[in-house]
Amino acid sequence: MNTLTCVQILLWLVPPLAVTAVAMGWATWAGRSRTRPRVDEQEEQRRLERALTRPVPVRARHLAGQVPDRPSGVRVRPSQRRRVSEVGRR
């Protein structure tokens, strides 16, 4: 078997390698750091204050009152949950 036939057998590797190289180049270009102009700290504080003083949307209000899951990671159905006062009495 001569060297030319060995090289021809490996030609099927060229398209995947080319696609991989193009994808790596694109990922490098797309993931580059884009520097934005820095906003001063006072402006950032004003934006934060505005966001914190904005009223909570009606849709999100019910989410704040939900009972958190148990720390053990065991999920309890709502029908089987006991009130805190019931747990303390037993």
Side-chain angles (χ1 to χ4, degrees):
M1 193 183 260
N2 84 26
T3 310
L4 186 58
T5 24
C6 290
V7 172
Q8 286 178 344
I9 291 173
L10 296 177
L11 284 178
W12 66 273
L13 284 174
V14 172
L17 290 174
V19 169
T20 302
V22 169
M24 288 172 59
W26 177 81
T28 301
W29 178 80
R32 70 190 186 281
S33 65
R34 295 175 178 93
T35 56
R36 296 186 320 186
R38 181 87 174 136
V39 181
D40 64 337
E41 288 185 29
Q42 291 177 348
E43 178 62 26
E44 288 177 349
Q45 288 176 350
R46 276 189 241 120
R47 287 181 184 178
L48 179 63
E49 183 181 353
R50 262 184 290 168
L52 291 175
T53 57
R54 189 177 313 145
V56 178
V58 176
R59 293 182 310 199
R61 286 187 187 155
H62 73 281
L63 296 176
Q66 288 182 346
V67 179
D69 288 341
R70 294 173 144 187
S72 64
V74 177
R75 182 76 177 172
V76 179
R77 292 184 188 156
S79 61
Q80 295 177 351
R81 285 189 184 148
R82 288 186 266 166
R83 294 186 184 130
V84 176
S85 59
E86 290 177 14
V87 174
R89 282 188 254 163
R90 290 186 175 192

